[in-house]
Coordinates of all heavy atoms in Angstrom, one line a residue:
M459 N -0.2 184.3 44.1 CA 0.5 183.7 45.2 C -0.3 182.4 45.6 O 0.4 181.4 46.0 CB 0.5 184.7 46.4 CG 1.4 184.3 47.5 SD 3.0 184.8 47.2 CE 3.7 184.6 48.7
E460 N -1.6 182.4 45.7 CA -2.3 181.3 46.0 C -2.2 180.2 45.0 O -2.2 179.0 45.3 CB -3.8 181.6 46.2 CG -4.1 182.4 47.4 CD -5.6 182.8 47.5 OE1 -6.4 182.1 46.9 OE2 -5.9 183.7 48.3
D461 N -1.9 180.6 43.7 CA -1.7 179.6 42.6 C -0.5 178.8 42.8 O -0.4 177.7 42.3 CB -1.7 180.3 41.3 CG -3.0 181.0 41.0 OD1 -4.1 180.6 41.6 OD2 -3.1 182.0 40.2
V462 N 0.5 179.3 43.6 CA 1.7 178.6 43.8 C 1.7 177.6 45.0 O 2.1 176.5 44.9 CB 2.9 179.6 44.0 CG1 4.2 178.9 44.4 CG2 3.0 180.5 42.8
F463 N 1.0 178.0 46.1 CA 1.0 177.3 47.3 C 0.1 176.1 47.2 O 0.4 175.0 47.7 CB 0.6 178.1 48.5 CG 1.7 179.0 48.9 CD1 1.4 180.4 49.0 CD2 2.9 178.5 49.3 CE1 2.4 181.3 49.4 CE2 3.9 179.4 49.8 CZ 3.6 180.8 49.8
L464 N -1.0 176.2 46.5 CA -2.0 175.1 46.4 C -1.4 173.9 45.7 O -1.5 172.7 46.3 CB -3.2 175.6 45.7 CG -4.4 174.6 45.7 CD1 -4.8 174.2 47.1 CD2 -5.6 175.2 44.9
P465 N -0.7 174.0 44.5 CA -0.1 172.8 44.0 C 1.0 172.2 44.8 O 1.2 171.0 44.8 CB 0.5 173.3 42.6 CG -0.3 174.6 42.3 CD -0.7 175.1 43.6
I466 N 1.8 173.0 45.5 CA 2.8 172.5 46.4 C 2.2 171.7 47.5 O 2.7 170.6 47.9 CB 3.7 173.7 46.9 CG1 4.5 174.3 45.8 CG2 4.6 173.2 48.0 CD1 5.3 175.5 46.1
I467 N 1.2 172.2 48.1 CA 0.5 171.5 49.2 C -0.1 170.1 48.7 O 0.1 169.1 49.3 CB -0.6 172.3 49.8 CG1 0.0 173.5 50.5 CG2 -1.5 171.5 50.7 CD1 -0.9 174.5 51.1
I468 N -0.7 170.2 47.5 CA -1.3 168.9 46.9 C -0.2 167.9 46.6 O -0.4 166.7 46.9 CB -2.1 169.3 45.7 CG1 -3.4 170.1 46.1 CG2 -2.6 168.0 44.9 CD1 -4.2 170.6 44.9
V469 N 0.9 168.4 46.0 CA 2.0 167.5 45.7 C 2.6 166.9 47.0 O 2.9 165.7 47.1 CB 3.0 168.2 44.8 CG1 4.3 167.3 44.7 CG2 2.5 168.4 43.4
G470 N 2.7 167.7 48.0 CA 3.3 167.3 49.3 C 2.4 166.2 49.9 O 2.8 165.2 50.4
I471 N 1.1 166.4 49.9 CA 0.1 165.4 50.4 C 0.1 164.2 49.6 O 0.2 163.1 50.2 CB -1.3 166.0 50.5 CG1 -1.4 167.2 51.5 CG2 -2.3 165.0 50.7 CD1 -2.7 167.9 51.6
L472 N 0.2 164.2 48.3 CA 0.2 163.0 47.5 C 1.5 162.2 47.6 O 1.4 161.0 47.7 CB -0.1 163.4 46.0 CG -1.5 163.8 45.7 CD1 -1.6 164.2 44.2 CD2 -2.5 162.7 45.9
F473 N 2.6 162.8 47.5 CA 3.8 162.1 47.5 C 4.5 161.9 48.9 O 5.4 161.2 48.9 CB 4.8 162.8 46.5 CG 4.3 162.7 45.1 CD1 3.8 163.8 44.4 CD2 4.4 161.5 44.4 CE1 3.3 163.7 43.1 CE2 3.9 161.4 43.1 CZ 3.4 162.5 42.4
L474 N 4.1 162.6 49.9 CA 4.7 162.5 51.2 C 3.7 162.0 52.2 O 4.0 161.0 52.9 CB 5.4 163.8 51.6 CG 6.5 164.4 50.8 CD1 6.9 165.7 51.4 CD2 7.6 163.4 50.8
G475 N 2.6 162.6 52.3 CA 1.6 162.3 53.3 C 0.9 161.0 53.1 O 0.8 160.1 54.0
L476 N 0.5 160.8 51.9 CA -0.3 159.6 51.6 C 0.6 158.3 51.7 O 0.2 157.3 52.4 CB -0.9 159.6 50.2 CG -1.9 158.5 49.8 CD1 -3.1 158.5 50.8 CD2 -2.4 158.8 48.4
P477 N 1.8 158.3 51.1 CA 2.7 157.0 51.4 C 3.0 156.9 52.8 O 3.1 155.7 53.3 CB 3.9 157.4 50.6 CG 3.4 158.3 49.5 CD 2.4 159.1 50.2
W478 N 3.2 157.9 53.6 CA 3.5 157.8 55.0 C 2.4 157.1 55.7 O 2.6 156.2 56.5 CB 3.8 159.2 55.6 CG 4.1 159.0 57.1 CD1 5.4 158.7 57.6 CD2 3.3 159.2 58.2 NE1 5.3 158.6 59.0 CE2 4.0 158.9 59.4 CE3 1.9 159.5 58.3 CZ2 3.4 159.0 60.6 CZ3 1.3 159.5 59.5 CH2 2.1 159.3 60.7
V479 N 1.1 157.5 55.5 CA 0.0 157.0 56.1 C -0.2 155.5 55.7 O -0.4 154.6 56.6 CB -1.3 157.7 55.8 CG1 -2.5 157.0 56.2 CG2 -1.3 159.1 56.4
I480 N 0.0 155.2 54.5 CA -0.1 153.8 54.0 C 1.0 152.9 54.6 O 0.6 151.8 55.1 CB 0.0 153.7 52.4 CG1 -1.3 154.4 51.8 CG2 0.2 152.3 51.9 CD1 -1.2 154.6 50.3
F481 N 2.2 153.3 54.6 CA 3.3 152.5 55.2 C 3.1 152.4 56.7 O 3.5 151.4 57.3 CB 4.7 153.1 54.7 CG 5.0 152.8 53.3 CD1 5.4 153.8 52.5 CD2 4.9 151.5 52.8 CE1 5.7 153.5 51.2 CE2 5.3 151.2 51.5 CZ 5.7 152.3 50.7
H482 N 2.6 153.4 57.3 CA 2.4 153.4 58.8 C 1.4 152.2 59.1 O 1.7 151.4 60.0 CB 1.9 154.7 59.3 CG 1.4 154.7 60.7 ND1 2.3 154.6 61.7 CD2 0.2 154.7 61.2 CE1 1.6 154.6 62.9 NE2 0.3 154.7 62.5
Y483 N 0.3 152.2 58.4 CA -0.7 151.2 58.7 C -0.3 149.8 58.2 O -0.7 148.8 58.8 CB -2.1 151.6 58.1 CG -2.7 152.6 59.0 CD1 -2.8 154.0 58.7 CD2 -3.1 152.3 60.3 CE1 -3.3 154.9 59.5 CE2 -3.7 153.3 61.2 CZ -3.8 154.5 60.7 OH -4.3 155.5 61.5
I484 N 0.5 149.7 57.2 CA 1.1 148.4 56.8 C 1.9 147.8 57.9 O 1.9 146.7 58.2 CB 1.8 148.6 55.4 CG1 0.8 148.7 54.3 CG2 2.7 147.3 55.2 CD1 1.5 148.9 52.9
T485 N 2.8 148.7 58.4 CA 3.7 148.3 59.5 C 2.8 147.8 60.7 O 3.1 146.8 61.4 CB 4.6 149.4 59.9 OG1 5.3 149.9 58.8 CG2 5.6 149.0 61.0
K486 N 1.8 148.6 61.1 CA 0.9 148.2 62.2 C 0.3 146.9 61.9 O 0.1 146.0 62.8 CB -0.1 149.3 62.5 CG 0.4 150.6 63.0 CD 0.8 150.4 64.4 CE 1.2 151.7 65.1 NZ 1.7 151.6 66.4
W487 N -0.2 146.7 60.7 CA -0.9 145.5 60.3 C 0.0 144.3 60.4 O -0.3 143.2 60.9 CB -1.4 145.6 58.9 CG -2.0 144.3 58.3 CD1 -3.1 143.7 58.8 CD2 -1.5 143.6 57.2 NE1 -3.3 142.5 58.0 CE2 -2.3 142.5 57.1 CE3 -0.3 143.8 56.4 CZ2 -2.0 141.5 56.0 CZ3 -0.1 142.9 55.4 CH2 -1.0 141.8 55.2
K488 N 1.3 144.4 60.0 CA 2.2 143.3 60.0 C 2.6 142.9 61.5 O 2.8 141.8 61.8 CB 3.5 143.7 59.2 CG 3.3 143.5 57.7 CD 4.5 143.8 57.0 CE 4.3 143.6 55.5 NZ 5.5 143.8 54.7
T489 N 2.8 143.9 62.3 CA 3.2 143.6 63.7 C 2.1 143.0 64.5 O 2.3 142.2 65.4 CB 3.7 144.9 64.4 OG1 2.7 145.9 64.4 CG2 5.0 145.4 63.8
S490 N 0.8 143.4 64.2 CA -0.3 142.9 65.0 C -0.8 141.5 64.4 O -1.5 140.8 65.1 CB -1.5 143.9 65.0 OG -2.0 144.0 63.7
A491 N -0.3 141.2 63.2 CA -0.9 139.9 62.7 C -0.1 138.7 63.2 O -0.5 137.6 63.0 CB -0.7 140.0 61.1
T492 N 1.0 138.9 63.9 CA 1.8 137.8 64.4 C 1.5 137.5 65.8 O 1.1 138.4 66.5 CB 3.3 138.1 64.2 OG1 3.6 139.3 65.0 CG2 3.7 138.3 62.7
L493 N 1.7 136.3 66.2 CA 1.5 135.9 67.6 C 2.8 136.3 68.4 O 3.9 136.0 68.0 CB 1.3 134.3 67.7 CG 0.0 133.8 67.2 CD1 0.0 132.3 67.4 CD2 -1.1 134.4 68.0
T494 N 2.5 136.8 69.6 CA 3.7 137.2 70.4 C 4.0 135.9 71.2 O 3.3 134.9 71.2 CB 3.3 138.3 71.4 OG1 2.3 137.8 72.3 CG2 2.8 139.5 70.7
N495 N 5.1 135.9 71.9 CA 5.6 134.8 72.7 C 4.6 134.5 73.8 O 4.4 133.4 74.2 CB 7.0 135.1 73.3 CG 8.1 135.1 72.2 OD1 7.9 134.5 71.2 ND2 9.2 135.7 72.5
E496 N 4.0 135.6 74.3 CA 3.0 135.4 75.4 C 1.8 134.7 74.8 O 1.2 133.8 75.5 CB 2.6 136.7 75.9 CG 3.7 137.4 76.8 CD 3.2 138.8 77.2 OE1 2.1 139.2 77.0 OE2 4.0 139.5 77.8
D497 N 1.3 135.0 73.6 CA 0.2 134.3 73.0 C 0.5 132.9 72.8 O -0.4 132.0 73.0 CB -0.1 135.0 71.7 CG -0.7 136.4 71.9 OD1 -1.1 136.7 72.9 OD2 -0.6 137.2 70.8
E498 N 1.7 132.6 72.3 CA 2.1 131.2 72.0 C 2.1 130.4 73.3 O 1.6 129.2 73.4 CB 3.4 131.1 71.3 CG 3.3 131.5 69.9 CD 4.7 131.4 69.2 OE1 5.6 130.6 69.7 OE2 4.8 132.0 68.1
A499 N 2.6 131.0 74.4 CA 2.7 130.3 75.7 C 1.3 130.1 76.2 O 1.0 129.0 76.7 CB 3.5 131.2 76.7
M500 N 0.4 131.0 76.0 CA -1.0 130.9 76.5 C -1.7 129.8 75.7 O -2.4 129.0 76.3 CB -1.7 132.2 76.3 CG -3.2 132.1 76.8 SD -4.1 133.6 76.7 CE -4.0 133.9 74.9
L501 N -1.4 129.7 74.3 CA -2.1 128.7 73.6 C -1.5 127.3 74.0 O -2.3 126.3 74.0 CB -1.8 128.9 72.1 CG -2.7 130.0 71.5 CD1 -2.2 130.3 70.0 CD2 -4.1 129.7 71.4
D502 N -0.3 127.2 74.2 CA 0.3 125.9 74.7 C -0.3 125.5 76.0 O -0.6 124.3 76.2 CB 1.8 126.0 74.8 CG 2.5 126.1 73.5 OD1 1.9 125.6 72.5 OD2 3.7 126.5 73.5
Q503 N -0.4 126.5 76.9 CA -1.0 126.1 78.2 C -2.5 125.7 78.1 O -2.9 124.8 78.7 CB -0.9 127.3 79.2 CG -1.5 127.1 80.5 CD -1.4 128.4 81.4 OE1 -1.1 129.5 80.9 NE2 -1.8 128.3 82.6
M504 N -3.3 126.4 77.2 CA -4.6 126.0 77.0 C -4.7 124.6 76.4 O -5.6 123.9 76.7 CB -5.3 127.1 76.1 CG -5.5 128.4 76.8 SD -6.1 129.7 75.7 CE -7.6 129.0 75.1
H505 N -3.9 124.3 75.4 CA -3.9 123.0 74.8 C -3.5 122.0 75.8 O -4.2 120.9 75.8 CB -2.8 122.9 73.7 CG -2.8 121.6 73.0 ND1 -1.9 120.7 73.3 CD2 -3.6 121.1 72.0 CE1 -2.1 119.6 72.5 NE2 -3.1 119.9 71.7
E506 N -2.6 122.2 76.7 CA -2.3 121.2 77.7 C -3.4 121.0 78.7 O -3.8 119.9 79.1 CB -1.0 121.7 78.5 CG -0.6 120.7 79.6 CD -0.2 119.4 79.1 OE1 0.2 119.2 77.9 OE2 -0.3 118.4 79.9
T507 N -4.1 122.1 79.1 CA -5.3 122.1 80.0 C -6.4 121.3 79.3 O -7.0 120.4 79.9 CB -5.8 123.4 80.4 OG1 -4.6 124.1 81.0 CG2 -6.9 123.4 81.3
A508 N -6.7 121.5 78.0 CA -7.7 120.8 77.3 C -7.4 119.3 77.2 O -8.3 118.5 77.4 CB -7.9 121.4 75.9
R509 N -6.1 119.0 77.0 CA -5.7 117.6 76.9 C -5.9 116.9 78.2 O -6.4 115.8 78.3 CB -4.3 117.5 76.5 CG -3.9 116.0 76.2 CD -2.4 115.9 76.0 NE -1.6 116.3 77.2 CZ -1.5 115.6 78.3 NH1 -2.1 114.4 78.4 NH2 -0.8 116.0 79.3
R510 N -5.5 117.6 79.3 CA -5.7 117.0 80.7 C -7.2 116.8 81.0 O -7.6 115.8 81.6 CB -5.0 117.9 81.7 CG -3.5 117.7 81.7 CD -2.8 118.5 82.8 NE -3.6 119.1 83.8 CZ -3.5 120.4 84.2 NH1 -2.7 121.2 83.6 NH2 -4.3 120.8 85.2
L511 N -8.0 117.9 80.7 CA -9.5 117.7 80.9 C -10.1 116.6 80.1 O -11.0 115.8 80.6 CB -10.2 119.0 80.6 CG -9.9 120.1 81.6 CD1 -10.5 121.5 81.0 CD2 -10.5 119.8 82.9
D512 N -9.6 116.4 78.9 CA -10.1 115.3 78.0 C -9.7 114.0 78.6 O -10.5 113.0 78.7 CB -9.5 115.4 76.6 CG -10.1 114.4 75.6 OD1 -11.3 114.3 75.6 OD2 -9.3 113.7 74.9
D513 N -8.5 113.9 79.1 CA -8.1 112.6 79.9 C -8.9 112.3 81.1 O -9.3 111.2 81.4 CB -6.7 112.7 80.2 CG -5.7 112.6 79.0 OD1 -6.2 112.2 77.9 OD2 -4.5 113.0 79.2
R514 N -9.2 113.4 81.8 CA -10.1 113.2 83.1 C -11.5 112.8 82.7 O -12.0 111.9 83.4 CB -10.1 114.5 83.8 CG -8.8 114.9 84.5 CD -8.9 116.2 85.2 NE -7.7 116.6 85.8 CZ -7.4 117.7 86.5 NH1 -8.4 118.6 86.6 NH2 -6.3 118.0 87.0
L515 N -12.0 113.4 81.7 CA -13.4 113.0 81.2 C -13.4 111.6 80.8 O -14.4 110.8 81.1 CB -13.9 113.9 80.1 CG -15.3 113.7 79.7 CD1 -16.3 113.9 80.8 CD2 -15.6 114.6 78.5
A516 N -12.4 111.1 80.0 CA -12.3 109.7 79.6 C -12.2 108.8 80.8 O -12.8 107.7 80.8 CB -11.1 109.5 78.7
T517 N -11.4 109.2 81.8 CA -11.3 108.4 83.0 C -12.7 108.3 83.7 O -13.1 107.1 84.2 CB -10.2 109.0 84.0 OG1 -9.0 109.0 83.2 CG2 -10.1 108.1 85.2
I518 N -13.3 109.4 83.9 CA -14.6 109.4 84.6 C -15.7 108.5 83.8 O -16.4 107.7 84.3 CB -15.2 110.8 84.7 CG1 -14.4 111.6 85.7 CG2 -16.6 110.8 85.1 CD1 -14.7 113.0 85.8
E519 N -15.6 108.6 82.5 CA -16.5 107.7 81.7 C -16.2 106.3 81.8 O -17.1 105.4 81.8 CB -16.5 108.2 80.2 CG -17.2 109.5 79.9 CD -17.1 110.0 78.5 OE1 -16.3 109.4 77.7 OE2 -17.8 111.0 78.1
R520 N -15.0 105.9 81.9 CA -14.6 104.5 82.0 C -15.0 104.0 83.4 O -15.5 102.9 83.6 CB -13.1 104.3 81.9 CG -12.5 104.3 80.5 CD -11.1 103.7 80.5 NE -10.2 104.4 81.4 CZ -9.4 105.4 81.1 NH1 -9.6 106.0 79.9 NH2 -8.6 106.0 82.0
I521 N -14.9 104.9 84.5 CA -15.4 104.5 85.8 C -16.9 104.2 85.8 O -17.4 103.3 86.4 CB -14.9 105.5 86.9 CG1 -13.4 105.5 87.0 CG2 -15.6 105.3 88.2 CD1 -12.9 106.6 87.8
I522 N -17.6 105.2 85.2 CA -19.1 105.1 85.2 C -19.5 103.9 84.3 O -20.4 103.2 84.7 CB -19.7 106.4 84.6 CG1 -19.4 107.6 85.6 CG2 -21.2 106.2 84.4 CD1 -19.9 108.9 85.1
A523 N -18.8 103.6 83.2 CA -19.1 102.5 82.4 C -18.9 101.2 83.1 O -19.6 100.2 82.9 CB -18.4 102.6 81.1
A524 N -17.9 101.1 84.0 CA -17.6 100.0 84.7 C -18.7 99.7 85.8 O -19.0 98.5 86.1 CB -16.2 100.0 85.4
D525 N -19.2 100.8 86.4 CA -20.3 100.6 87.4 C -21.6 100.3 86.7 O -22.5 99.7 87.3 CB -20.4 101.8 88.2 CG -19.2 102.0 89.2 OD1 -18.4 100.9 89.4 OD2 -18.9 103.1 89.7
N526 N -21.9 100.9 85.5 CA -23.2 100.9 84.9 C -23.1 100.4 83.5 O -22.6 101.2 82.6 CB -23.9 102.3 85.0 CG -25.3 102.3 84.4 OD1 -25.8 101.2 84.1 ND2 -25.9 103.4 84.4
P527 N -23.4 99.2 83.2 CA -23.2 98.7 81.8 C -24.1 99.3 80.8 O -23.8 99.3 79.6 CB -23.5 97.1 81.9 CG -24.1 96.9 83.3 CD -23.9 98.1 84.1
D528 N -25.1 100.0 81.2 CA -26.1 100.7 80.3 C -25.6 102.1 79.9 O -26.2 102.7 79.1 CB -27.5 100.7 80.8 CG -28.1 99.3 81.0 OD1 -27.7 98.4 80.2 OD2 -28.9 99.2 82.0
F529 N -24.5 102.5 80.5 CA -24.0 103.9 80.3 C -23.5 104.0 78.9 O -22.7 103.2 78.3 CB -22.9 104.2 81.3 CG -22.2 105.5 81.0 CD1 -22.9 106.7 81.3 CD2 -21.0 105.6 80.5 CE1 -22.3 107.9 81.1 CE2 -20.4 106.8 80.3 CZ -21.1 108.0 80.6
R530 N -23.8 105.1 78.2 CA -23.3 105.4 76.9 C -22.7 106.8 76.9 O -23.4 107.8 77.3 CB -24.4 105.4 75.8 CG -25.2 104.1 75.7 CD -24.7 103.4 74.5 NE -25.6 102.2 74.3 CZ -25.1 101.0 74.2 NH1 -23.9 100.8 74.4 NH2 -25.9 100.0 74.1
P531 N -21.4 106.9 76.5 CA -20.8 108.2 76.6 C -21.5 109.2 75.6 O -22.0 108.8 74.5 CB -19.4 108.0 76.1 CG -19.2 106.5 76.1 CD -20.5 105.9 76.1
A532 N -21.6 110.5 76.0 CA -22.3 111.4 75.1 C -21.3 112.0 74.1 O -21.7 112.9 73.3 CB -22.8 112.6 76.0
R533 N -20.1 111.6 74.0 CA -19.2 112.0 73.0 C -18.5 110.9 72.4 O -18.5 109.7 72.9 CB -18.2 113.0 73.7 CG -17.3 112.3 74.7 CD -16.4 113.3 75.4 NE -15.4 112.6 76.2 CZ -14.3 112.1 75.8 NH1 -13.9 112.3 74.5 NH2 -13.4 111.4 76.5
P534 N -17.7 111.1 71.3 CA -17.0 110.0 70.6 C -16.0 109.4 71.5 O -15.5 110.1 72.4 CB -16.4 110.6 69.4 CG -17.1 112.0 69.2 CD -17.6 112.4 70.5
A535 N -15.6 108.2 71.2 CA -14.5 107.5 72.0 C -13.2 108.2 71.8 O -13.0 108.9 70.8 CB -14.5 106.1 71.7
A536 N -12.3 108.0 72.7 CA -11.0 108.6 72.6 C -10.2 108.2 71.4 O -9.3 108.8 70.9 CB -10.2 108.3 73.9
D537 N -10.5 107.0 70.8 CA -9.8 106.5 69.6 C -10.3 107.2 68.3 O -9.6 107.0 67.3 CB -9.9 105.0 69.5 CG -9.3 104.3 70.7 OD1 -8.4 105.0 71.4 OD2 -9.7 103.2 71.1
D538 N -11.4 107.8 68.3 CA -11.9 108.5 67.2 C -11.1 109.7 66.7 O -10.3 110.2 67.5 CB -13.4 108.9 67.4 CG -14.3 107.8 67.5 OD1 -13.9 106.6 67.2 OD2 -15.5 108.0 67.9
D539 N -11.3 110.1 65.5 CA -10.6 111.3 64.9 C -11.0 112.6 65.6 O -10.4 113.6 65.5 CB -10.8 111.4 63.5 CG -10.2 110.2 62.7 OD1 -9.2 109.7 63.2 OD2 -10.6 109.9 61.6
Y540 N -12.1 112.6 66.4 CA -12.6 113.8 67.0 C -11.9 114.2 68.2 O -12.1 115.2 68.8 CB -14.1 113.7 67.2 CG -14.9 113.4 66.0 CD1 -15.5 112.2 65.8 CD2 -15.1 114.4 65.0 CE1 -16.2 111.9 64.6 CE2 -15.8 114.1 63.8 CZ -16.3 112.9 63.7 OH -17.1 112.6 62.5
S541 N -11.1 113.3 68.8 CA -10.5 113.6 70.1 C -9.3 114.5 69.8 O -8.9 114.7 68.7 CB -10.0 112.3 70.8 OG -9.0 111.7 69.9
F542 N -8.7 115.0 70.9 CA -7.6 115.9 70.8 C -6.4 115.2 70.3 O -6.2 114.0 70.5 CB -7.3 116.5 72.2 CG -8.3 117.6 72.7 CD1 -9.2 117.2 73.7 CD2 -8.3 118.8 72.1 CE1 -10.1 118.2 74.1 CE2 -9.2 119.8 72.5 CZ -10.1 119.5 73.5
D543 N -5.5 116.0 69.7 CA -4.2 115.5 69.3 C -3.4 115.1 70.5 O -3.1 115.9 71.4 CB -3.5 116.6 68.4 CG -2.2 116.1 67.9 OD1 -2.0 114.9 67.8 OD2 -1.4 116.9 67.5
R544 N -2.9 113.8 70.5 CA -2.2 113.4 71.7 C -0.7 113.2 71.3 O -0.2 112.1 71.2 CB -2.8 112.0 72.1 CG -4.2 112.2 72.6 CD -4.7 110.9 73.1 NE -6.1 110.9 73.4 CZ -6.6 111.2 74.6 NH1 -5.8 111.5 75.6 NH2 -7.9 111.3 74.8
R545 N 0.0 114.3 71.1 CA 1.4 114.3 70.8 C 2.2 114.1 72.0 O 3.3 113.5 72.0 CB 1.8 115.6 70.2 CG 1.3 115.7 68.7 CD 1.9 117.0 68.2 NE 0.7 117.8 67.9 CZ 0.7 119.0 67.6 NH1 1.8 119.7 67.5 NH2 -0.4 119.7 67.3
N546 N 1.7 114.5 73.2 CA 2.6 114.4 74.5 C 2.3 113.1 75.1 O 1.3 112.6 75.3 CB 2.3 115.6 75.4 CG 2.7 116.9 74.7 OD1 3.5 116.9 73.8 ND2 2.1 118.0 75.1

């Protein structure tokens, strides 16, 4: 009797249980790998905030440079490739 149940259990685990576990985690992996609409909105908001802060810092540096001719900015100028992307 035990000789019959053991192969049935092993075949069930191999052909039903194992693929179910694999496909379950593949589905979880695919859904978690994408950005949600909330994530995209948050990234857009963070990009806009960073752009505004960069503009403010450039304005402050221009004001200080106008008052003090010996002032040297501690970062690259806004025209360099290192500045933020200014699409807006």
Side-chain angles (χ1 to χ4, degrees):
M459 191 85 166
E460 291 178 17
D461 295 338
V462 175
F463 288 121
L464 188 59
I466 292 173
I467 292 173
I468 291 173
V469 168
I471 289 173
L472 285 176
F473 291 106
L474 296 175
L476 189 59
W478 180 83
V479 169
I480 290 171
F481 286 127
H482 171 74
Y483 283 106
I484 286 174
T485 304
K486 290 287 187 186
W487 171 67
K488 285 184 178 181
T489 57
S490 67
T492 59
L493 289 176
T494 64
N495 290 338
E496 292 176 3
D497 292 339
E498 288 183 16
M500 181 179 60
L501 286 173
D502 288 341
Q503 181 183 7
M504 289 171 58
H505 180 262
E506 180 64 24
T507 302
R509 188 190 61 76
R510 287 185 7 234
L511 289 172
D512 188 48
D513 290 342
R514 288 178 184 176
L515 184 59
T517 302
I518 291 171
E519 287 178 348
R520 280 196 310 269
I521 292 170
I522 293 174
D525 290 343
N526 184 1
D528 295 331
F529 175 74
R530 302 259 187 237
R533 63 181 191 89
D537 297 335
D538 291 345
D539 292 335
Y540 300 109
S541 64
F542 286 106
D543 182 19
R544 297 185 187 265
R545 285 183 244 170
N546 297 337

